[in-house]
């Protein structure tokens, strides 16, 4: 029997193509937070600033993500909104359980990134790297600027800051 | 531009080994089991070398600590096929672990044999695993590592100094070994700064450089009255 090359090749190409698409999209699945936290409300109505919650953004390498011990200050037993998301929060607070936030922005452990360096000395705004967070009514599902080596280096090149490997890698 | 260098005063050094312990902890260096260590796979970034001289019973023991020499003209960087080891503008010889492909050419090229290879996934006793230094990444199997002059400390010092709006001064930046030495035998500083201790000590008549004839221009200088 003679093999028909086209008949064999087309299904193979199709399978490879579908697999490639699947890999491409699976790698970018959105990150869903346990509570749909609303940045806009807290900045506009509660009058908070980034530093009130991300306490170490100007003094350390990590900015830190706040948890129930901070939310407790305003969200107690009585809900202050009609939002079902707030009910979830109150449940966490009653059970004294930390909210398992997922971190969207992160660099691997062999990379040194310092918020203090960029925010205080470099005088950058949070929005340079995180986008307009104060307009977010739901948690970001994708990073605004992916913390990849290419993105770090691009900005450093533009602003004429060192791109020596030993500045970022230990 | 700074040029970082170390001076080790062997007339002060007692060979106690504090520098070695401090370095191991500071840099999350794997602890190799004794059998493997005997076959030459022991991991040190700074090592205590013992040299025995004379005939029994008149033996003299010379002990000296040996870190990476951060040569001005390093033989190791020239053979790296992937640019994982290189000399930066401040004279530090860097080793970028995630770039390293583990070919070990650099280990062969180094005349001072200060580079070590991770033959296995690095291991520690359980108690150690809880107290890693977060500033230094844990290496993986199959990469070469070596003394970095604690470059992670330099980047932090630079940040502190910039916040205070001043220049870096002699003594701001100290690797863990120099800081821990109980005899103050290890000096560290900038050779371009004429006020620094190392600048003046490196010119002393006691100063000796290992294998000077190779032209590597090591930036670790030993001080000793003995030959």
């Amino acid at each position: 029997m003679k093999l028909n090359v086209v008949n064999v090749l087309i299904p193979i190409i199709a399978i490879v193509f579908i697999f490639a698409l699947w890999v491409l999209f699976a790698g970018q699945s959105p990150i869903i937070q346990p509570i749909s936290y609303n940045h806009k409300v807290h900045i506009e109505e509660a009058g908070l600033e980034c530093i009130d919650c991300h306490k170490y953004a100007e003094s350390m390498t990590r900015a830190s993500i706040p948890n129930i011990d901070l939310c407790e200050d305003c969200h107690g037993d009585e809900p202050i909104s009609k939002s079902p998301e707030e009910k979830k929060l109150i449940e966490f607070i009653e059970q004294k359980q930390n909210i398992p936030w997922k971190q969207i922005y992160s660099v691997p452990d062999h990379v040194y990134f310092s918020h203090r360096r960029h925010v205080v000395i470099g005088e950058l705004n949070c929005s340079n790297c995180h986008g307009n967070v104060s307009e977010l009514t739901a948690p970001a599902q994708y990073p605004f600027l992916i913390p990849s080596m290419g993105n770090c280096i691009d900005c450093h090149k533009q602003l004429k800051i060192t791109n020596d490997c030993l500045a970022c890698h230990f | 531009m700074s040029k970082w260098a170390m001076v080790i005063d062997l007339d002060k050094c007692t060979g106690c080994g504090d520098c070695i312990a401090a370095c191991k902890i500071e840099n999350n260096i794997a602890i190799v089991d004794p059998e493997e260590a005997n076959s030459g796979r022991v991991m040190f970034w700074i090592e205590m070398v013992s040299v025995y001289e004379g005939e029994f019973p008149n033996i003299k023991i010379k002990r000296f600590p040996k870190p990476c020499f951060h040569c001005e003209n390093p033989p190791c960087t020239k053979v790296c096929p992937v640019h994982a080891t290189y000399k930066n503008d401040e004279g530090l010889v860097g080793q970028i672990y995630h770039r390293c492909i583990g070919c070990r050419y650099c280990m062969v090229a180094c005349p001072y044999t200060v580079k070590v290879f991770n033959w296995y996934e690095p291991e520690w006793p359980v108690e150690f695993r809880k107290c890693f230094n977060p500033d230094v990444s844990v290496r993986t199997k199959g990469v070469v590592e070596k003394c970095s002059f604690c470059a992670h400390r330099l980047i932090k010092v630079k940040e502190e100094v910039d916040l205070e709006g001043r220049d870096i001064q002699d003594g701001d930046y100290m690797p863990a070994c120099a800081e821990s030495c109980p005899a103050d035998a290890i000096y560290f500083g900038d050779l371009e700064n004429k006020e620094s201790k190392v600048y003046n000590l490196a010119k002393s008549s006691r100063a000796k450089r290992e294998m000077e004839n190779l032209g590597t221009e090591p930036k670790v200088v030993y001080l000793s009255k003995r030959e």
Side-chain angles (χ1 to χ4, degrees), chain B residues 91-146:
Chain B
L92 298 173
V93 177
Q95 182 86 29
I96 310 301
Y97 317 118
H98 283 255
R99 183 72 189 154
C100 175
I101 56 171
C103 70
R104 288 174 279 141
Y105 287 179
C106 59
M107 289 175 69
V108 179
C110 174
Y112 307 108
T113 62
V114 297
K115 296 199 154 189
V116 288
F117 184 65
N118 286 278
W119 288 92
Y120 310 97
E121 211 53 63
E123 274 181 32
W124 289 268
V126 199
E127 303 79 36
F128 274 68
R129 293 201 151 263
K130 290 187 194 126
C131 41
F132 283 149
N133 179 358
D135 297 336
V136 180
S137 66
V138 170
R139 274 76 63 189
T140 49
K141 177 179 170 179
V143 301
V144 173
E145 59 182 66
K146 68 161 190 75

Side-chain angles (χ1 to χ4, degrees), chain B residues 20 24 29-48 107 113-120 145:
Chain B
I20 285 132
K24 273 239 162 197
I29 301 169
I31 295 177
V32 179
D33 82 65
E35 231 171 78
E36 290 297 329
N38 282 340
S39 68
R41 295 177 176 186
V42 68
M43 306 276 276
F44 284 120
W45 283 12
I46 181 168
E47 188 180 5
M48 192 61 80
M107 289 175 69
T113 62
V114 297
K115 296 199 154 189
V116 288
F117 184 65
N118 286 278
W119 288 92
Y120 310 97
E145 59 182 66

Side-chain angles (χ1 to χ4, degrees), chain A residues 60-61 109-112 114-117 120-121 164-170, chain B residues 86 88 92 94 96-98 135 137-138 151-152 155-156 158-160 162-163:
Chain A
M60 299 209 185
T61 51
D109 76 334
H110 58 93
V111 176
Y112 174 77
S114 164
H115 271 92
R116 183 174 65 175
R117 164 67 81 176
V120 182
I121 306 172
D164 178 22
C165 317
L166 273 183
C168 300
H169 291 291
F170 302 114
Chain B
Y86 73 106
N88 80 0
L92 298 173
I96 310 301
Y97 317 118
H98 283 255
D135 297 336
S137 66
V138 170
H152 55 282
I155 205 81
K156 293 210 152 175
K158 280 187 182 164
E159 202 171 304
E160 298 287 347
D162 281 354
L163 275 173

